[in-house]
């Protein structure tokens, strides 16, 4: 079979690919050392949404933008929804934030003080209200909770309080809505975090019920962790709700997905497809989101590069000859199985994707088309004054 014929077979699945971009990718970000400003950075949530819509216009891949409360707080969420829809995108996952309030220094949903726990629960109720108005499906909870010193907190007591707080939040999650619980093994707490790994997240969401899932942020694992195994396991358990895609070299670097290790992204996407999270055998509804920051590169091109990387590795993963692979695996032919897998990884799908785009009225090269469009120059000229959006 020629490469083009193989590609034609997978093209219909690529048509169904949707990647959700994070509103915070368009705002300023940095490290704990410095947050750099940059020309054209949005001052308002509407300007972030406009930039997200630009990413979708040029790639056809990013029809939704995730919000972060309170960073994206507005008075009228129904109006915000209309604003996004007029620009051709929708409002996606709502991210809660219990990491920027002095009350939460020692915990939020796990805090020993019931008043502080209730305040954190109320914040999640507010996020659910936002979702009702925006039509968002997923409430994403990432918790900055944990301890820095052995003995500082009661590890078991914190788990018990967390379970109780999550159950209270979950009761308010609507029939069409979902709760996704993200895990991270360190930072900002360094001795322990209360949801460090997929197993802990799984234990909590399994106890909550069928509308609770795990969110897998690719940057939240120790070096060397086999992330695709986690993907396989969570899909097997029916509990992979969403991805936060990004790349890491060292810590939670939040770099462009696929930049540090495209092969890892390929392996992850292969397991997503194999496990029914996308593609021909899809049974699970897995949200593909980005969770990234563009500290030194321009933000919109950074997001365009990111969604294209996901698409390229998805196409390669779809190209794996599954029948031949299964036959080689079952025959115990180690090297042939590996060769079949690697053949797909080494396939350069870029020319095929360029043609796929043109057939759909999209620019063959979204990056060059964006750079030539004048959008970047326009926002840099227009967005003068005001306060650039950032992490607060
Ligand atoms: C912090 O690590 C973090 O990047 C989490 O991954 C969240 O998903 C994101 O912030 C938004 O709150
Ligand atoms: Mn994340």
């Amino acid at each position: 079979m020629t490469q083009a014929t193989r590609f034609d077979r997978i093209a219909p699945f690529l048509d169904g690919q949707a990647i959700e971009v994070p509103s915070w990718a368009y705002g300023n970000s940095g490290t704990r050392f410095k947050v750099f400003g940059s020309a054209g950075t949005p001052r308002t949530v509407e300007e972030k949404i406009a930039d997200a819509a630009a990413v979708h216009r040029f790639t056809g891949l990013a029809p939704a933008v995730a919000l972060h409360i309170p960073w994206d707080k507005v008075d009228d969420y129904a109006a915000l929804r209309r604003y996004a829809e007029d620009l051709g995108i929708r409002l996606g996952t709502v991210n809660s934030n219990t990491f920027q309030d002095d009350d939460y220094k020692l915990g939020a949903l796990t805090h020993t003080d019931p008043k502080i726990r209730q305040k954190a629960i109320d914040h999640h109720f507010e996020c659910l209200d936002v979702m009702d108005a925006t039509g968002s499906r997923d409430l994403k909870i990432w918790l900055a909770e944990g301890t820095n010193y052995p003995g500082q907190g009661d590890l078991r007591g914190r788990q018990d309080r967390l379970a109780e707080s999550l159950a209270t939040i979950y009761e308010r999650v609507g029939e069409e809505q979902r709760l996704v619980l993200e895990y991270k093994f360190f930072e900002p707490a360094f001795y322990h975090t209360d949801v460090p790994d997929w197993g802990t997240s799984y234990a909590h969401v399994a106890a909550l019920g069928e509308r609770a899932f795990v969110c897998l942020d690719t940057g939240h694992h120790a070096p060397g962790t086999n992330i695709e195994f986690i993907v396989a396991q969570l899909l097997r358990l029916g509990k992979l709700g969403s991805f936060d895609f990004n790349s890491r070299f060292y810590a939670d670097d939040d770099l462009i997905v696929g930049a540090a290790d495209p092969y890892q992204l390929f392996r992850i996407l292969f397991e997503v497809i194999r496990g029914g999270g996308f593609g021909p055998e899809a049974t699970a509804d897995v949200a593909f989101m980005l969770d990234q920051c563009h500290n030194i590169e321009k933000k919109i091109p950074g997001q365009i590069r990111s969604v294209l990387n996901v698409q390229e590795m998805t196409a390669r993963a779809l190209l794996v000859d599954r029948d031949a692979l299964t036959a080689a695996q079952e025959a115990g032919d180690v090297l042939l199985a590996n060769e079949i897998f690697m053949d797909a990884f080494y396939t350069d799908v870029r020319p095929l994707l360029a043609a796929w785009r043109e057939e759909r009225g999209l620019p063959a090269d979204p990056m060059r088309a964006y750079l030539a469009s004048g959008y970047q120059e326009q926002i840099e000229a227009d967005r003068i004054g005001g306060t650039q959006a950032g992490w607060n």
Side-chain angles (χ1 to χ4, degrees):
M1 209 190 299
T2 66
Q3 238 179 50
T5 317
R6 281 165 66 208
F7 188 84
D8 284 345
R9 287 199 180 175
I10 67 158
F13 303 110
L14 294 173
D15 289 338
Q17 186 156 47
I19 302 159
E20 194 167 315
V21 295
S23 70
W24 53 99
Y26 304 92
N28 288 328
S29 54
T31 64
R32 60 203 162 93
F33 301 102
K34 169 75 179 161
V35 171
F36 295 105
S38 59
T41 296
R43 285 86 40 92
T44 62
V45 56
E46 286 82 3
E47 289 179 350
K48 294 184 205 175
I49 291 171
D51 289 358
V55 172
H56 186 48
R57 251 193 332 276
F58 286 93
T59 64
L61 286 171
V65 57
L67 300 178
H68 208 294
I69 304 297
W71 298 342
D72 297 322
K73 226 172 159 153
V74 292
D75 291 333
D76 187 345
Y77 290 98
L80 195 69
R81 175 185 187 162
R82 284 193 299 277
Y83 177 81
E85 286 172 358
D86 287 346
L87 288 173
I89 60 171
R90 62 189 160 74
L91 301 177
T93 301
V94 170
N95 291 256
S96 63
N97 178 333
T98 51
F99 50 89
Q100 288 184 315
D101 192 301
D102 284 342
D103 277 345
Y104 300 141
K105 185 160 83 173
L106 300 178
L109 296 180
T110 61
H111 205 287
T112 50
D113 182 343
K115 285 197 293 299
I116 294 182
R117 286 206 300 280
Q118 190 58 49
K119 172 173 165 170
I121 290 168
D122 287 341
H123 167 64
H124 288 89
F125 288 162
E126 181 192 347
C127 290
L128 287 162
D129 290 341
V130 171
M131 289 162 62
D132 290 338
T134 54
S136 305
R137 182 188 57 177
D138 291 351
L139 169 65
K140 190 175 107 207
I141 306 183
W142 170 69
L143 299 168
E145 323 203 10
T147 61
N148 276 0
Y149 297 99
Q152 179 195 324
D154 175 12
L155 301 186
R156 166 64 192 266
R158 293 176 70 99
Q159 284 302 300
D160 294 341
R161 291 190 290 276
L162 175 60
E164 197 187 294
S165 300
L166 287 171
T168 309
I169 295 166
Y170 185 71
E171 270 172 34
R172 285 270 293 264
V173 173
E175 285 301 314
E176 305 298 322
Q177 295 171 337
R178 315 191 308 177
L179 180 160
V180 293
L181 181 62
E182 186 172 350
Y183 59 91
K184 179 175 178 177
F185 77 114
F186 83 109
E187 196 192 45
F190 292 113
Y191 166 57
H192 103 284
T193 64
D194 292 299
V195 190
D197 49 32
W198 73 268
T200 304
S201 176
Y202 175 77
H204 283 289
V205 299
L208 291 175
E210 58 184 19
R211 280 169 287 119
F213 296 87
V214 176
C215 170
L216 187 161
D217 184 312
T218 49
H220 291 187
H221 307 84
T225 301
N226 183 334
I227 298 175
E228 58 272 26
F229 177 81
I230 300 172
V231 171
Q233 185 68 287
L234 285 173
L235 281 167
R236 194 182 149 262
L237 296 167
K239 282 294 187 191
L240 181 62
S242 55
F243 279 101
D244 268 5
F245 281 122
N246 52 54
S247 275
R248 79 193 286 277
F249 284 106
Y250 299 103
D252 185 23
D253 304 349
D254 282 343
L255 296 172
I256 289 176
V257 55
D261 187 350
Y263 180 41
Q264 182 190 55
L265 180 58
F266 167 81
R267 298 192 312 263
I268 289 172
L269 289 164
F270 174 77
E271 287 305 330
V272 174
I273 294 161
R274 163 65 184 88
F278 182 80
E281 295 145 73
T283 47
D285 207 337
V286 179
F288 283 21
M289 295 185 287
L290 305 180
D291 177 12
Q292 294 182 184
C293 296
H294 303 291
N295 301 347
I296 55 169
E297 67 276 25
K298 284 191 196 296
K299 300 169 197 312
I300 297 172
Q303 289 283 286
I304 290 175
R305 181 71 268 150
S306 305
V307 297
L308 294 179
N309 285 354
V310 174
Q311 185 186 43
E312 281 171 27
M313 288 305 141
T314 303
R316 292 193 197 194
L318 284 165
L319 283 175
V320 173
D321 185 340
R322 291 279 303 288
D323 293 339
L325 182 64
T326 305
Q329 287 169 345
E330 288 175 3
D333 196 333
V334 176
L335 291 183
L336 180 61
N338 179 245
E339 190 182 306
I340 292 165
F341 198 73
M342 298 311 291
D343 264 353
F345 173 62
Y346 284 125
T347 308
D348 185 358
V349 292
R350 289 174 299 182
L352 298 161
L353 284 172
W356 176 91
R357 283 184 201 104
E358 280 188 317
E359 281 164 21
R360 284 152 186 82
L362 291 162
D365 182 341
M367 184 67 88
R368 296 281 121 26
Y370 172 75
L371 295 175
S373 71
Y375 186 90
Q376 187 71 37
E377 290 76 9
Q378 193 67 53
I379 58 174
E380 291 183 12
D382 288 351
R383 295 177 184 171
I384 305 293
T387 306
Q388 296 194 329
W391 287 343
N392 41 40

